[in-house]
Amino acid sequence: MGQEPLKRNNQHKVQAFHVMVKPTGALCNLDCAYCFYLHKQELINSRNVISEEVLERFIYEYINSQNVSEIVFTWQGGEPTLLGIDFFKKVIEYERLYCPPGKKIANDLQTNGTLLNEKWCEFLKEYNFLVGISIDGPERLHNVYRVSKDGGPTFKRVFNATKLLHRYGIDFNTLTVVNRINAKFPGEVYRFLRDSVGSTRIQFIPLVEPKIFKERPTTFMAEDSMPIIGTNEALPSKAGSIATDWSVVPQDYGRFLNGVFDLWYRNDIGRVFVFLFECALGQWLGMQSSLCIFAETCGRALAIEADGSIYSCDHFVYPEHLLGNIMNKRLIDMVNSTSQTVFGISKAATLPDYCQRCEYLFACHGECPKNRFVRTPEGEAGLNYLCSGLKLYFSHIDPYMKELAEAFRSSR
């Protein structure tokens, strides 16, 4: 493909950014009850699988739109392994073709693990992929929501995949969705991930989905539709009135993180890396958040769909956040566009006064905008659904983080 040189007048704007690639769109071999992405295929009206033309154009643009030494590609879905090993061999070919001297390429693959076998592991090891495995805890908890198309359990296939990854010496993270059920068992979930799976890199993501999104797919909820949830709200019945049945109850989420933190703090500092805790330590040291959900602003983590459409964020794949298409618009122009800049700074600009007065503003910054669909006790719109749980968590870890930060500063 003949590539047009990037415009010189954009070079001064170039910064590091990240684009999550959805090469299969919403196509998946599982039917997880809580998957927010399944209905997107109709909404965005895209093909299921990325074409080679779109793939090549994206790889070229992504590498050459950034002036950093390492470019990280993240392949997600849907389920990207449905495309097969040959697709990813083509990925490697294009990455090598368009990577200039002095730059390094890294690849991350997020998968449900059910299709991994020895051939896959040979490939992933050879090309040094970092693998993310989605697993929600031990069998009785994982199988509640993570089921196959026929409603059958998936745990054994996923667990066997982690054993394969260990056998081949492949670096992997575990990604656990904290939902209405497993949130009540922090110790059991953490010990399972640490001891049975052998995960030393653990990511927890809260499951939050307002019911209105099921009825009217959009990123916005009218302010007059936002209910008030008190800052000490813990009742599942109240949370259940506005969130889906599988969404985590706010204070359950806080208690879950606290339970995991206590085990980690006592036994695993420096041995097991829990991304939320590593991020928190950086913030207590006065650094910027390493996770976009807790950063003051956002907008540097975008998503590309299988048809080449670029969206502001993986959680905002809706028409109002479509920035353009990689086939007819420069990636760097979309990243630096006015609409994307406004999207990023709106995270801070739309925080309620209640958040601005919070002692943990430095650590939270209102968390992810997608979860801001309740009202403050004073009735102001835009409070994060997880607020009460996050306050439980931040207040619990505060003395420990201060101690760790001091030890870090004094090189202990």
Side-chain angles (χ1 to χ4, degrees), residues 208-221:
V208 177
E209 185 177 32
K211 285 182 176 177
I212 194 169
F213 284 10
K214 288 295 182 184
E215 301 163 4
R216 179 171 56 90
T218 179
T219 55
F220 301 109
M221 177 181 286

Side-chain angles (χ1 to χ4, degrees), residues 222-374:
E223 289 191 6
D224 58 6
S225 299
M226 293 183 180
I228 295 176
I229 287 192
T231 56
N232 294 318
E233 179 58 57
L235 296 176
S237 60
K238 186 69 170 289
S241 66
I242 58 169
T244 54
D245 294 341
W246 42 82
S247 293
V248 66
V249 175
Q251 289 209 344
D252 281 352
Y253 182 58
R255 284 188 285 262
F256 176 89
L257 294 182
N258 291 349
V260 172
F261 179 85
D262 289 345
L263 289 170
W264 173 83
Y265 186 85
R266 287 197 298 266
N267 305 302
D268 298 321
I269 293 177
R271 188 167 71 92
V272 177
F273 296 90
V274 181
F275 295 141
L276 284 172
F277 306 155
E278 302 294 327
C279 173
L281 177 56
Q283 290 172 291
W284 259 260
L285 283 164
M287 301 175 182
Q288 294 294 320
S289 170
S290 56
L291 294 174
C292 63
I293 58 172
F294 293 134
E296 184 175 5
T297 61
C298 56
R300 308 304 290 183
L302 300 87
I304 182 170
E305 287 294 330
D307 67 347
S309 296
I310 303 289
Y311 290 87
S312 293
C313 171
D314 177 44
H315 288 288
F316 288 83
V317 179
Y318 294 98
E320 57 265 37
H321 291 293
L322 174 63
L323 299 173
N325 192 287
I326 197 74
M327 298 307 295
N328 52 41
K329 202 169 183 180
R330 288 295 190 192
L331 178 60
I332 192 61
D333 290 340
M334 290 183 273
V335 172
N336 289 328
S337 65
T338 300
S339 57
Q340 184 65 3
T341 301
V342 171
F343 173 84
I345 63 177
S346 291
K347 181 179 181 185
T350 58
L351 269 181
D353 288 341
Y354 181 82
C355 296
Q356 300 285 3
R357 301 192 303 266
C358 180
E359 62 183 308
Y360 300 114
L361 176 63
F362 76 97
C364 179
H365 293 295
E367 210 251 358
C368 184
K370 79 178 182 66
N371 297 331
R372 297 179 185 177
F373 55 85
V374 298

Side-chain angles (χ1 to χ4, degrees), residues 96-152:
R96 289 177 171 176
L97 177 63
Y98 292 121
C99 185
K103 283 191 179 182
K104 178 182 176 183
I105 299 293
N107 285 283
D108 302 344
L109 178 72
Q110 184 63 42
T111 175
N112 59 43
T114 59
L115 300 179
L116 294 186
N117 54 28
E118 292 191 353
K119 287 186 177 180
W120 263 110
C121 288
E122 289 170 359
F123 170 80
L124 296 170
K125 180 64 176 178
E126 180 179 357
Y127 294 103
N128 198 32
F129 273 64
L130 173 64
V131 177
I133 288 281
S134 297
I135 187 165
D136 285 356
E139 187 167 8
R140 73 184 189 92
L141 298 176
H142 175 91
N143 284 336
V144 172
Y145 296 122
R146 298 193 66 82
V147 297
S148 61
K149 291 293 186 183
D150 61 1

Side-chain angles (χ1 to χ4, degrees), residues 383-404:
L383 181 66
N384 195 295
Y385 167 84
L386 293 171
C387 178
S388 61
L390 290 171
K391 279 191 170 182
L392 271 181
Y393 164 60
F394 291 131
S395 62
H396 179 76
I397 69 172
D398 180 58
Y400 302 100
M401 284 299 166
K402 288 176 178 175
E403 179 182 325
L404 286 174

Side-chain angles (χ1 to χ4, degrees), residues 32-48:
C32 301
Y34 58 59
C35 183
F36 74 95
Y37 196 60
L38 290 177
H39 75 277
K40 295 289 181 67
Q41 201 66 23
E42 287 185 13
L43 181 66
I44 61 179
N45 191 30
S46 78
R47 67 189 64 160
N48 283 338

